[in-house]
Amino acid sequence: MPTADLVITGAHVRTLDPRRPYATAVAVRDGLIVAVGEEADVREWRGPGTEAVDLGGGRLVPGLVDSHSHPVWGLDLATGIDLAAVTDLDGLRAALAAGDRVDGWVVGYGLDHNVFGGRTVDRALVEDVLDGAPAFLRLYDGHSALVSEAALKAAGITGPRVFTQRSHIAVDADGRLTGHLVEHAAMELVQLVMPRPSYAERRTRLAELLGAMAATGLTGAHVMDLGDLDLVGAVAEESVLPLRLRFAPWCMPGADADDLAELVALQGRGGRHWRVGGAKFFMDGTVEGGTAWLDHPDCHGQGTDAFWPDPAAYSDALRHLHRAGVRTATHAIGDAAVRHVLDTVASLGPGGRLAHRVEHIESVPDELVARFAEVGVIASMQPPHTDYTRADLSDEWSLRLGAERAVRAWRLRDLRDAGAVVALGSDWPIAHFDARAVLATAREPRGAASCGAGLTGIQALEGCTSHAALAAGEAEVSGRIAVGFRADLTALGVDPVEAPADEVAEAPVRLTVTGGHVVHRGL
């Protein structure tokens, strides 16, 4: 009889396999689970080369997966001064004055829209503390940035421009550039002239980041961009990637037949613990930036346009990829955006509908909640985003939407109760990648979402395991602890289902196993 590479005993195993929900021991060989049961069931799998781990009563669950993350692209997003803790304009000015500069630039990220206290996002509010330096400050949503006059000049920006996607360069009533760049195409104009970390620095940071993610119990991530695959491949050659990375390259407005063919050709490219599988669309932007596509305008009269200037072109592109067997994920925050995605998937006809998913879904009415299960579209949501709102609805997100729409915030439980598949993630670096925080916040949503019901403990765990597997089309190989499944496992010091949410958020991570490799030990 062959022997196992790894045997785990002394565990309270929650398998999520209905045929055997609980166990105390697991054996692993060649990256797959070969035995699940009691200690006697794995005894014969032990051999001289078997690594034996006694969890001493630790709680073992299927490996946790972040269903929406940017671990490679995010290396560039999360660069410079971390502004996430800044709460007001005075704090922002102080942080910029004291912060380090990168090749003469002031670069920051994680800036909360609420810092401006309802004021227009304008470089005039911070220009004097920059001493003439070029500055690029990314707002927390990742869809907009505030830049200084020197940065505008460095990029050759002298006025508004027309983009193929729904982006813009903001000006005030007098036509003066405010420095607020909204959406990717506008920001890229400045990013092209900004300092960039070296390849060696990015390689080191990626390895460190993935290790830190594994230390929170993560064994995988659905990467909602293409990233730098050469960088990923190089790190994967040097060592075992602590997380399985599944990339979904972007399909942007203006994509023609050649672009779509290239997306199809990318599918399946990969190496050990990473591969390309899927495509990512944007149907809108963000509520705070005024670019979420809404049924009715926000309080500033914005939010009535789709990210794709011709929404029908989006639908055509999704249908093309569907026929080619490519799974799609669409960023859709506003109700009009979500409705258009659901209508598009419904137009595909019966069969294959679970191949497609919607990302974010921040505010939707009852009829759209019910349609997710009816149409067979997966809801991919990020509970930690609720931290950017306030229970009294005084935050920028809530004020822009108005109270009627704000109280429909992040309807995680409603979607589950309606029969939808709900996969959970963080959207790092928009929110912290800690998988335990995702589990905890899904059960106890914050801010505007706190008036609604959170997920149960088992629903939250499923969101990071079995439902994440459904979202990736991998339910036959992952998301459960069962013979023949991938040996992706997470061991915590508390039961993530039964323990209170605040204890889950701080739970010791005893062990993280990806593909049979122990990638984190906290025993």
Side-chain angles (χ1 to χ4, degrees):
M1 178 176 176
T3 58
D5 303 314
L6 173 68
V7 168
I8 300 174
T9 58
H12 295 278
V13 185
R14 190 181 287 274
T15 69
L16 298 189
D17 181 0
R19 293 169 297 183
R20 181 164 195 164
Y22 304 101
T24 63
V26 175
V28 172
R29 176 180 170 84
D30 294 334
L32 300 176
I33 297 168
V34 292
V36 180
E38 308 307 313
E39 186 164 357
D41 298 313
V42 302
R43 188 172 296 129
E44 292 186 0
W45 285 98
R46 292 177 182 264
T50 301
E51 179 179 3
V53 176
D54 185 341
L55 282 181
R59 310 301 175 124
L60 191 70
V61 297
L64 302 178
V65 173
D66 188 325
S67 294
H68 190 121
S69 185
H70 302 279
V72 185
W73 182 49
L75 296 176
D76 295 329
L77 270 64
T79 298
I81 307 167
D82 184 351
L83 301 171
V86 173
T87 59
D88 56 29
L89 186 57
D90 288 340
L92 173 61
R93 290 166 57 82
L96 298 180
D100 294 333
R101 300 189 178 189
V102 180
D103 294 337
W105 282 68
V106 177
V107 179
Y109 67 98
L111 178 58
D112 191 341
H113 289 79
N114 293 303
V115 162
F116 298 97
R119 302 178 186 87
T120 299
V121 178
D122 195 315
R123 59 188 172 85
L125 299 173
V126 298
E127 199 83 69
D128 60 313
V129 301
L130 297 173
D131 295 327
F136 183 95
L137 312 176
R138 190 182 296 274
L139 279 91
Y140 90 90
D141 61 9
H143 283 249
S144 58
L146 175 61
V147 303
S148 66
E149 180 181 21
L152 292 168
K153 288 180 177 178
I157 300 174
T158 58
R161 300 190 186 184
V162 176
F163 300 99
T164 56
Q165 57 185 251
R166 200 71 71 177
S167 300
H168 71 268
I169 298 169
V171 296
D172 64 14
D174 297 322
R176 180 186 64 89
L177 293 168
T178 66
H180 191 198
L181 307 180
V182 182
E183 296 300 339
H184 307 289
M187 290 189 291
E188 284 171 2
L189 297 175
V190 174
Q191 290 171 299
L192 289 172
V193 299
M194 286 173 55
R196 179 177 170 82
S198 69
Y199 176 81
E201 290 172 328
R202 297 177 74 244
R203 191 162 163 172
T204 298
R205 285 185 64 199
L206 178 59
E208 291 174 347
L209 173 66
L210 295 179
M213 289 178 163
T216 75
L218 282 173
T219 63
H222 300 169
V223 184
M224 290 293 129
D225 59 76
L226 186 59
D228 184 339
L229 297 187
D230 291 336
L231 180 69
V232 173
V235 174
E237 284 291 324
E238 291 175 354
S239 61
V240 175
L241 289 180
L243 273 67
R244 295 184 191 273
L245 304 178
R246 182 184 179 91
F247 293 88
W250 290 358
C251 183
M252 300 294 271
D256 58 20
D258 289 340
D259 296 323
L260 295 175
E262 184 177 347
L263 278 172
V264 173
L266 279 169
Q267 303 302 306
R269 179 182 171 186
R272 184 171 61 173
H273 288 183
W274 71 274
R275 69 185 295 266
V276 176
K280 167 77 177 297
F281 288 87
F282 293 86
M283 204 62 245
D284 65 357
T286 68
V287 170
E288 297 91 332
T291 54
W293 187 16
L294 306 170
D295 284 335
H296 305 289
D298 65 20
C299 69
H300 296 294
Q302 298 176 322
T304 56
D305 296 313
F307 186 76
W308 284 61
D310 179 9
Y314 156 85
S315 300
D316 290 342
L318 188 146
R319 292 187 191 103
H320 179 100
L321 294 178
H322 174 78
R323 290 192 295 269
V326 178
R327 306 174 70 85
T328 70
T330 301
H331 171 122
I333 280 177
D335 41 17
V338 173
R339 179 177 289 104
H340 188 81
V341 180
L342 293 172
D343 288 346
T344 298
V345 177
S347 74
L348 300 174
R353 288 178 176 170
L354 277 180
H356 306 288
R357 49 195 273 185
V358 179
E359 310 297 312
H360 306 313
I361 317 161
E362 291 186 2
S363 176
V364 291
D366 291 345
E367 68 269 18
L368 293 187
V369 170
R371 287 197 69 202
F372 274 83
E374 293 169 2
V375 179
V377 170
I378 290 163
S380 171
M381 303 179 73
Q382 300 74 46
H385 287 195
T386 64
D387 273 330
Y388 290 104
T389 65
R390 299 170 184 162
D392 65 1
L393 307 185
S394 65
D395 59 281
E396 184 67 15
W397 184 90
S398 300
L399 290 172
R400 269 192 175 265
L401 284 180
E404 181 181 350
R405 289 183 291 197
V407 296
R408 304 190 308 225
W410 286 273
R411 302 181 67 177
L412 293 154
R413 181 62 174 270
D414 291 341
L415 282 159
R416 275 300 304 259
D417 288 350
V421 173
V422 179
L424 303 177
S426 70
D427 199 11
W428 186 86
I430 309 307
H432 198 277
F433 53 72
D434 194 325
R436 298 165 299 177
V438 173
L439 291 172
T441 314
R443 292 169 59 182
E444 296 184 352
R446 314 283 177 80
S450 62
C451 62
L455 297 180
T456 66
I458 190 65
Q459 288 173 338
L461 179 60
E462 288 170 344
C464 291
T465 54
S466 57
H467 282 220
L470 285 166
E474 298 175 340
E476 299 304 314
V477 295
S478 67
R480 288 183 281 163
I481 299 178
V483 173
F485 275 54
R486 292 172 177 166
D488 299 343
L489 308 164
T490 301
L492 301 173
V494 304
D495 184 344
V497 172
E498 299 295 339
D502 59 344
E503 291 185 17
V504 174
E506 302 293 333
V509 180
R510 306 284 296 277
L511 197 71
T512 308
V513 178
T514 302
H517 298 271
V518 177
V519 295
H520 169 75
R521 297 177 190 272
L523 296 171

